[in-house]
Amino acid sequence: MLDWTDRHYRYMARAMSKHTLLYTEMVTTGAILFGKGDYLGFNEEEHPVALQLGGSDPKALAECAVLAQQRGYDEINLNVGCPSDRVQNGRFGACLMGEPQLVADCMKAMADVVDIPVTVKSRIGIDDQDSYQFLTDFIGTVSEAGVNLFTVHARKAWLQGLSPKENREIPPLDYPRVYQLKRDFPELTISINGGITDFEQAKAHLAHVDGVMVGREAYQNPYMVAQVDQELFGEQQASMSREDVVEAMLPYIERHLANGGRLNHITRHMIGLFQGQAGGRAWRRHLSENAHKPGAGLEVIEQALAQMQQGAAHAAQVQAKRKNPEARS
C-alpha cells in the first residue's frame, strides 16, 4: 500500500472505525535509520496501528523495532509479500520467502528487544516454489522464532515477469490453502488477504481463519471501513454517513492547511468516499480538478459536496421520470 495508507488515510479510517487494526505503508529500515524525513510519524488517534517494515538485516530491524515501540506503535509487521523489483533489489519483500531461516532470525531479533507483537505478512509461495509443503516449511520455521500471527495473501508472487499490479490480479487466489494452514497450525493466529471486496466474503473467510485483511477495496471504496464495526465487531450504533465522514475530516484538514500542507494531500484519499452513489462522479471530478491548486482550502470540499448533492438530486429526478412516464414534461 505504498503511497496509499499514509497517516492522512489512516486518520480518516479511524474516524470511521474504532476497532479495525490499521497498517502503515511499508517503510524500509534504511529510510527510518538514514532518511531525512520522519518515517515513523502518525496521529495518536490512529491506535491501534501497526508499523509495516521492509528489510532483511536483523540488526537494522531490531533498531527500527525499538524506535517503533518508543513512538507508540501497537504492532510491528514484517512485509514478506511485496513482489516489486525495487523491493527485491533491496533483498526484502516476497523474495524473503525463499529464505525462511533469515526471516526467522529477523523476527527473533525484533521480538528480543520489544514487548509489542511482531508479525509477518506473506504470500502462499513465490515463482515455482508454490507447493503447500513450501508454505508450511516457511510458516513452521518462522513460527519457531516466536511469531504467532501471520497474515497470508492467498496468491503466490511471480518475482520475474509480472508488475506489482499484475501480481495482485494474475496469480490465482487459493483461499483453501490458507484455510488448511489454519487447520495444520491451530495454535497460530492466521489472517487472510487478497481479493476481498465485501462483508459477506469476509464473514465466509472468518469461518475458517482468525482475521481478514482488506487492502485495495478499503482504499478505493473507503466508506467500507465505516461499516466494519457493525458488520464484524457487533457494534449496535449506526454507521456514520458519508457526509458525516467528510464533516469529521474538516478540523483535521484545517490543521493540516494551517501547518502549510496541501489540500490534495488529504483529499486524494477521500475521492472514493461516494463511490457507487448518485452524484459520486461530480464529487470525484471537483476534488480531482481543484484540490491540487495553490491555496485550495475547505471551500473546495464544500463545493464538491454541493455538486455531489446536485448530481444526486438530478439522478433522483431522472429515476422518478423513468418510473412515471406521465410525469415527463
Side-chain angles (χ1 to χ4, degrees):
M1 306 298 285
L2 284 171
D3 298 324
W4 288 16
T5 56
D6 66 12
R7 61 191 178 93
H8 303 313
Y9 171 82
R10 298 193 306 266
Y11 184 93
M12 181 176 68
R14 180 59 66 221
M16 293 186 280
S17 169
K18 294 186 296 184
H19 300 295
T20 306
L21 174 62
L22 303 176
Y23 285 79
T24 70
E25 309 163 89
M26 182 178 67
V27 186
T28 66
T29 55
I32 294 171
L33 298 176
F34 308 113
K36 295 181 179 179
D38 180 7
Y39 292 92
L40 292 177
F42 68 98
N43 305 290
E44 283 301 312
E45 294 88 347
E46 294 175 36
H47 291 292
V49 59
L51 172 67
Q52 189 171 102
L53 283 175
S56 59
D57 176 52
K59 182 177 181 293
L61 284 164
E63 291 178 29
C64 290
V66 169
L67 293 173
Q69 179 168 277
Q70 290 173 348
R71 292 293 289 270
Y73 280 95
D74 301 289
E75 175 184 316
I76 299 166
N77 179 264
L78 182 65
N79 186 305
V80 191
C82 182
S84 78
D85 291 340
R86 184 174 62 175
V87 165
Q88 293 178 57
N89 291 337
R91 200 184 174 207
F92 52 92
C95 63
L96 286 178
M97 287 196 73
E99 301 182 74
Q101 188 56 56
L102 175 58
V103 176
D105 294 342
C106 290
M107 300 309 294
K108 186 176 187 307
M110 290 191 288
D112 284 348
V113 294
V114 297
D115 301 317
I116 57 178
V118 290
T119 67
V120 170
K121 183 177 187 291
S122 75
R123 295 283 184 130
I124 57 173
I126 52 173
D127 296 333
D128 294 323
Q129 296 175 288
D130 61 353
S131 68
Y132 183 65
Q133 185 65 51
F134 172 80
L135 179 59
T136 57
D137 287 348
F138 173 81
I139 297 293
T141 299
V142 177
S143 64
E144 288 175 0
V147 179
N148 57 25
L149 194 156
F150 293 81
T151 298
V152 183
H153 186 145
R155 286 186 176 94
K156 74 173 181 179
W158 280 107
L159 301 181
Q160 303 294 330
L162 293 183
S163 68
K165 181 178 185 297
E166 290 169 330
N167 259 300
R168 294 192 297 266
E169 298 169 351
I170 293 176
L173 287 159
D174 190 348
Y175 296 134
R177 185 171 296 198
V178 184
Y179 301 164
Q180 185 63 48
L181 200 62
K182 175 60 184 177
R183 289 193 292 269
D184 290 342
F185 294 88
E187 73 282 5
L188 300 179
T189 298
I190 304 292
S191 293
I192 198 166
N193 171 238
I196 301 165
T197 59
D198 60 47
F199 291 109
E200 291 308 308
Q201 295 173 8
K203 291 172 184 176
H205 289 310
L206 289 171
H208 303 279
V209 293
D210 303 298
V212 170
M213 174 186 278
V214 179
R216 280 177 294 161
E217 186 66 20
Y219 187 87
Q220 294 165 355
N221 179 23
Y223 188 66
M224 178 188 195
V225 181
Q227 302 162 297
V228 170
D229 291 356
Q230 290 72 28
E231 291 282 351
L232 300 181
F233 291 97
E235 284 282 343
Q236 299 302 309
Q237 185 177 350
S239 303
M240 301 173 72
S241 69
R242 290 170 170 83
E243 290 80 2
D244 289 339
V245 177
V246 175
E247 189 70 25
M249 290 298 293
L250 294 180
Y252 179 78
I253 294 171
E254 198 164 27
R255 292 194 298 272
H256 176 69
L257 295 175
N259 290 327
R262 299 285 292 270
L263 181 64
N264 65 318
H265 293 166
I266 299 175
T267 56
R268 70 189 185 95
H269 304 301
M270 301 171 67
I271 284 177
L273 195 55
F274 291 89
Q275 179 176 308
Q277 302 298 298
R281 183 177 297 177
W283 164 265
R284 292 193 300 272
R285 183 174 60 246
H286 192 80
L287 289 184
S288 298
E289 292 176 354
N290 296 282
H292 67 282
K293 294 178 179 178
L298 296 182
E299 73 282 351
V300 172
I301 297 175
E302 294 166 356
Q303 293 161 2
L305 266 179
Q307 292 193 20
M308 183 277 298
Q309 290 163 351
Q310 290 173 4
H314 176 71
Q317 291 175 352
V318 171
Q319 187 67 18
K321 289 180 179 180
R322 286 176 179 169
K323 290 181 178 179
N324 183 13
E326 294 180 1
R328 296 176 184 170
S329 57

